[in-house]
Amino acid sequence: ESDVTGKHSDTMKRGDDRLTAVCAMEPGHAGSPRKRRRPGLGRNPMERFWRTHLAVTQVCSQTWCELQVAYGFEIPHVLTELEERPEVTAGASIHLSREMEVQKVVAVPVLSREDRQAIPFLNLLSMIPALQAGLRVRELPVLGLLEGVFLMGVVDELCYSEKGELVLTELKTRRVNTLPGPAQVKGHNLQVRLYKLLFDSLVRGDLKRDHVISHLRLRPEQALGRGVLEHAGKLSLQVSTFGDLLDLLLLNLSYCELPAVDRLSLEYCHQGSGASIGTRDVPFAEPQLREELRYYLSYWTGHREPRGVDIEEVWKCNTCPYKEHCEWKLEEGSADMVTTPTKRTIT
Ligand code: SF4
């Protein structure tokens, strides 16, 4: 591994000097069971589904089928079954082993919503100096207010190229040993472009205290739990409340002088062998991206209904876990198209 100056980095080689945290439930704390909530009338999806923010991956899933995303909230038990599929867990373990090549992952007990949000903040705080030192970081949290909606995500990797460019890479693991088709690539491209938009605005100091407190509905005066405080201590950070930690993060971001992302890349890797299938560079143009984002968010803010797949992409319904429930499929009378696609001619 090399840093921007081309010198070898001891920290990178050891990989266990740096700490990154994941949430663990405090022993004896039952946590919140996943509840099924029926959609309410007259409220937008952010309110109906009790969303304070959206994950970048949720917005990207809209490129595949918006109705599928909506059903993910309305019929959550199907989503749970999807999360347990072997390819999902195989992908997660490849990501984890890559992360552990550069940083040690530790479980930190959490007691409150503020504790839970403190974990990505601490991870971000621990990665800023690593990036300033020219090191590679993995699983870097990004967050911010874009087009009126608070978005959060986790960047797979940021590192400097030999030319000194800051390169953002998203790793996609695949069950099959081939590159994905255009329908899947559309969502992947959107994901890395949104990550760049969020990262660049973070290092420009655009994130405001009020954005976090009001959009995420968190209490700045809330004392951080014992586990979070212990982890902060290991990172040499002196904080006692969630507000202290947020202020420290905003201060670090304002003075970090990190560059914007120069290059976006997608890396595809085969789950079975772990071998690379290929990489693709992704172009970036902010005005077009913001226009796309406004379109996708207009569903969440209640300005339009969710869309099913386009007629040319009805093949997506064949493997959709919601096809038995899907109003688009029933209303459009497309059941025949789905089960017998060869009978249909698309002009
Ligand atoms: Fe979307 Fe087709 Fe699934 Fe309906 S059946 S949610 S249109 S993919």
Side-chain angles (χ1 to χ4, degrees):
E1 298 289 354
S2 300
D3 62 17
V4 272
T5 62
K7 292 175 190 158
H8 283 287
S9 153
D10 284 339
T11 314
M12 282 298 300
K13 280 189 285 182
R14 285 199 299 274
D16 57 358
D17 286 1
R18 288 188 269 152
L19 291 181
T20 190
V22 291
C23 293
M25 201 52 76
E26 185 79 70
H29 192 270
S32 316
R34 183 178 281 204
K35 292 178 191 155
R36 179 168 183 183
R37 298 184 174 96
R38 294 306 308 156
L41 290 173
R43 293 187 295 153
N44 70 44
M46 291 295 284
E47 294 164 345
R48 284 209 307 267
F49 303 134
W50 300 75
R51 305 304 301 166
T52 56
H53 68 278
L54 294 177
V56 167
T57 47
Q58 282 167 332
V59 179
C60 299
S61 300
Q62 288 176 255
T63 64
W64 186 262
C65 175
E66 273 187 347
L67 261 182
Q68 203 178 66
V69 175
Y71 286 134
F73 286 96
E74 291 176 16
I75 318 170
H77 66 274
V78 177
L79 190 66
T80 310
E81 287 161 15
L82 282 178
E83 284 166 353
E84 287 163 3
R85 285 184 309 185
E87 58 267 35
V88 176
T89 47
S93 68
I94 291 173
H95 275 86
L96 180 61
S97 64
R98 283 226 181 174
E99 182 182 2
M100 288 170 73
E101 287 169 12
V102 300
Q103 57 217 14
K104 190 172 178 179
V105 180
V106 292
V108 174
V110 292
L111 285 170
S112 63
R113 290 175 56 241
E114 287 74 13
D115 271 5
R116 190 173 288 279
Q117 187 54 50
I119 300 300
F121 285 2
L122 288 169
N123 289 343
L124 190 48
L125 274 165
S126 73
M127 291 181 198
I128 290 172
L131 279 173
Q132 287 168 329
L135 301 177
R136 184 188 305 265
V137 298
R138 289 191 170 135
E139 303 297 319
L140 177 133
V142 282
L143 64 159
L145 189 62
L146 293 179
E147 304 300 333
V149 175
F150 203 89
L151 294 180
M152 292 210 244
V154 181
V155 174
D156 272 350
E157 180 177 298
L158 273 172
C159 67
Y160 293 92
S161 70
E162 286 179 359
K163 291 186 205 161
E165 302 162 311
L166 186 56
V167 184
L168 185 154
T169 304
E170 175 69 16
L171 172 71
K172 294 289 175 198
T173 65
R174 290 185 51 78
R175 203 163 34 85
V176 289
N177 200 0
T178 54
L179 286 169
Q184 280 176 310
V185 168
K186 191 176 176 185
H188 301 165
N189 285 355
L190 180 61
Q191 189 175 358
V192 288
R193 290 185 297 146
L194 287 176
Y195 285 161
K196 170 175 164 56
L197 203 55
L198 287 168
F199 179 85
D200 292 356
S201 58
L202 274 177
V203 298
R204 266 199 317 264
D206 287 354
L207 184 68
K208 303 292 177 237
R209 191 179 207 267
D210 179 53
H211 295 167
V212 178
I213 298 300
S214 61
H215 283 269
L216 302 185
R217 294 182 211 138
L218 296 168
R219 300 160 295 179
E221 71 286 357
Q222 173 67 34
L224 295 168
R226 185 173 38 87
V228 174
L229 290 175
E230 279 176 15
H231 186 67
K234 285 179 195 159
L235 300 174
S236 306
L237 302 174
Q238 297 301 315
V239 287
S240 58
T241 64
F242 177 73
D244 292 346
L245 179 59
L246 175 57
D247 290 340
L248 188 62
L249 175 67
L250 297 177
L251 193 68
N252 272 262
L253 288 169
S254 298
Y255 293 101
C256 67
E257 296 188 347
L258 285 171
V261 169
D262 296 301
R263 227 175 72 206
L264 298 173
S265 171
L266 287 166
E267 180 186 350
Y268 293 97
C269 153
H270 183 227
Q271 283 180 356
S273 62
S276 175
I277 305 172
T279 58
R280 281 178 170 160
D281 279 351
V282 179
F284 181 84
E286 184 166 339
Q288 285 93 326
L289 174 59
R290 286 202 177 259
E291 194 179 326
E292 274 177 65
L293 181 60
R294 280 194 290 274
Y295 171 76
Y296 290 123
L297 294 181
S298 65
Y299 155 65
W300 292 100
T301 51
H303 290 89
R304 62 179 177 83
E305 291 298 310
R307 281 172 55 94
V309 295
D310 288 336
I311 201 79
E312 297 84 358
E313 296 193 322
V314 74
W315 51 268
K316 290 177 179 175
C317 304
N318 285 329
T319 52
C320 178
Y322 305 105
K323 61 186 173 191
E324 305 303 324
H325 313 270
C326 181
E327 65 200 52
W328 180 92
K329 203 162 70 88
L330 297 175
E331 281 175 15
E332 299 295 319
S334 56
D336 287 343
M337 300 185 311
V338 174
T339 50
T340 56
T342 50
K343 285 184 189 169
R344 191 172 165 75
T345 306
I346 296 169
T347 54

